[in-house]
């Protein structure tokens, strides 16, 4: 009898502990390689979450596009086939139109301004639009200011862009920007090294870190520091998955994505000069001071393309940044 009772007690203890220790797996998708900041942010997130959940949440990082391109990842998040991703803002606009607002050309003039908007009320309001698409917008982190590269000719002003075949992110708005600039834009998912090498496209635009980490200097001779669009990344999640979590883990995911984002932005910013130096050493011909006014003049009217949410948030950001 005693023995029997003991067994029952042991069983009950086991049962209760296994209930409290319900475990979760987060499959996190990114399209870039372990060299990139996307990956470093994902790693930081994994470390924080696994430690603070005492191993009850396990994070598996699927990098280098092994679970598809960014549009594929977003679709899998909607279905809970993946639970998280670190995704570039560009292709998110098909799912969450409000995010178009932060990709308006020449919108931000400093990192300080970026942080004030994206980590402030407006940024949070944009992230709060994600659940409408079956997604969770946890936190903004950073890809960086985007710059133009090409293999045809040096670009000093907007007129030099004319007719260049430029790869852009999977976003109708990014296509519109490069049309307005006179280029011949084609949306394609990342990565695009082969297409550049085979001259299917003449050029592309990305932050310096990406240009360096993907060795684009091997296939792109000219770099122009246009800084035309600030490219945010977003820690995006599956709403279906999020809804299954107990409150303390929901909180932990917000906390961990915030910490990982702040860590990644810092790393990214302190390395920016380094990447420019490296690209010079690799022999790229760089215009560090192009005629930005000529670019701005061609894209200013794009505001008229913004309707609904995207327009509302763009106007809010313009109002907030012009005061500064
Ligand atoms: O972050 O698709 C793009 O151009 C992105 O910037 C790319 O994922 C690198």
């Amino acid at each position: 009898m005693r023995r029997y009772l003991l067994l029952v007690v042991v069983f009950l203890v086991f049962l209760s502990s296994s209930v409290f220790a319900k475990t979760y797996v987060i499959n996190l998708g990114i399209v870039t390689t372990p060299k990139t900041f996307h990956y470093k942010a994902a790693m930081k997130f994994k470390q924080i979450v696994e430690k603070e959940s005492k191993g009850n949440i396990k994070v598996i990082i699927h990098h280098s596009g092994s679970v598809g391109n960014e549009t594929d990842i977003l679709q899998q998040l909607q279905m809970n086939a993946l639970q998280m991703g670190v995704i570039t803002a560009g292709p998110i606009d098909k799912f969450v139109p409000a995010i178009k607002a932060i990709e308006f050309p020449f919108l931000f003039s400093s990192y300080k301004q970026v942080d004030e908007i994206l980590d402030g009320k407006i940024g949070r309001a944009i992230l709060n639009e994600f659940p409408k698409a079956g997604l969770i917008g946890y936190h903004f982190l950073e890809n960086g200011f985007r710059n133009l590269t090409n293999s045809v000719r040096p670009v000093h002003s907007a007129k030099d862009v004319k007719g260049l075949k430029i790869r852009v992110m999977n976003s109708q708005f990014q296509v519109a920007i490069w049309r307005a600039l006179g280029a011949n834009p084609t949306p394609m998912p990342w990565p695009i090294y082969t297409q550049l090498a085979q001259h299917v496209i003449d050029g592309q635009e990305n932050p310096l870190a990406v240009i360096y980490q993907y060795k684009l200097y091997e296939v792109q001779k000219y770099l122009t520091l246009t800084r035309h669009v600030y490219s945010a990344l977003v820690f995006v999640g599956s709403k279906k998955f999020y809804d299954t979590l107990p409150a303390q883990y929901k909180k932990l995911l917000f906390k961990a994505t915030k910490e990982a984002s702040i860590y990644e932005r810092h790393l990214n910013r302190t390395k920016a000069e380094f990447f420019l130096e490296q690209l010079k050493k690799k022999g790229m011909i760089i215009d560090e001071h192009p005629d930005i006014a000529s670019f701005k003049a061609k894209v200013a009217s794009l505001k008229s393309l913004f309707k609904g949410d995207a327009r509302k948030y763009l106007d809010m950001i313009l109002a907030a940044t012009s005061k500064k």
Side-chain angles (χ1 to χ4, degrees), residues 150-157 160-161 164 222-224 285 287:
N150 86 96
S151 57
V152 177
R153 57 175 172 258
V155 170
H156 302 300
S157 80
D160 303 323
V161 169
L164 291 178
Y222 306 104
L223 165 62
T224 310
I285 298 173
D287 186 344

Side-chain angles (χ1 to χ4, degrees), residues 30-32 36 38 70 86-91 142-144 146 167-170 188-192 204-207 209-211 213-214 231-233:
I30 58 172
V31 296
T32 58
T36 60
H38 312 53
E70 291 188 318
V86 177
I87 309 290
T88 321
E142 183 162 283
N143 201 5
R146 302 180 78 93
R167 173 270 176 181
V168 298
M169 291 182 283
N170 257 326
M188 285 179 190
W190 191 259
I192 51 161
Q204 64 87 47
E205 40 87 54
N206 250 299
V210 175
I211 295 168
Q213 288 157 343
Y214 276 87
S231 190
L233 302 174

Side-chain angles (χ1 to χ4, degrees), residues 189-311:
W190 191 259
I192 51 161
Y193 184 96
T194 317
Q195 292 88 330
L196 290 169
Q198 294 174 349
H199 296 279
V200 177
I201 39 178
D202 302 320
Q204 64 87 47
E205 40 87 54
N206 250 299
L208 296 178
V210 175
I211 295 168
Y212 179 72
Q213 288 157 343
Y214 276 87
K215 296 190 163 71
L216 298 192
Y217 49 82
E218 292 176 353
V219 290
Q220 299 277 271
K221 198 170 174 61
Y222 306 104
L223 165 62
T224 310
L225 300 192
T226 44
R227 295 168 65 88
H228 51 278
V229 163
Y230 174 78
S231 190
L233 302 174
V234 187
F235 265 112
V236 188
S238 163
K239 182 172 184 302
K240 275 194 180 145
F241 171 72
Y242 179 81
D243 289 343
T244 68
L245 292 174
Q248 100 246 30
Y249 288 161
K250 286 181 175 161
K251 237 170 115 186
L252 174 58
L253 295 193
F254 273 97
K255 175 174 179 271
T257 50
K258 181 175 178 182
E259 284 176 19
S261 298
I262 290 168
Y263 160 84
E264 183 271 347
R265 277 187 191 148
H266 179 73
L267 204 64
N268 196 340
R269 292 170 190 181
T270 51
K271 280 283 182 95
E273 279 299 309
F274 168 82
F275 291 122
L276 184 58
E277 287 314 308
Q278 293 306 307
L279 292 171
K280 280 182 193 163
K281 279 191 195 147
K282 295 291 180 188
M284 284 191 101
I285 298 173
I286 306 176
D287 186 344
E288 294 188 47
H289 303 286
D291 176 5
I292 296 296
S294 71
F295 285 87
K296 282 188 177 166
K298 294 209 168 192
V299 295
S301 67
L302 290 174
K303 205 179 146 185
S304 64
L305 296 179
F306 278 56
K307 309 262 185 301
D309 276 356
R311 181 58 180 253

Side-chain angles (χ1 to χ4, degrees), residues 115-188:
D115 294 350
E116 275 169 10
I117 298 296
L118 297 189
D119 293 353
K121 277 199 198 122
I122 302 176
R124 184 45 64 191
I126 293 172
L127 293 172
N128 284 344
E129 301 285 353
F130 279 56
K132 282 188 203 160
L135 302 168
I136 300 290
Y138 286 101
H139 210 280
F140 288 108
L141 56 164
E142 183 162 283
N143 201 5
F145 283 98
R146 302 180 78 93
N147 297 295
L148 177 68
T149 68
N150 86 96
S151 57
V152 177
R153 57 175 172 258
V155 170
H156 302 300
S157 80
K159 69 176 182 345
D160 303 323
V161 169
K162 196 163 176 50
L164 291 178
K165 275 185 269 168
I166 305 293
R167 173 270 176 181
V168 298
M169 291 182 283
N170 257 326
S171 151
Q172 282 314 305
F173 180 53
Q174 297 300 312
V175 172
I177 293 175
W178 288 93
R179 268 213 193 108
L181 288 168
N184 182 0
T186 317
M188 285 179 190

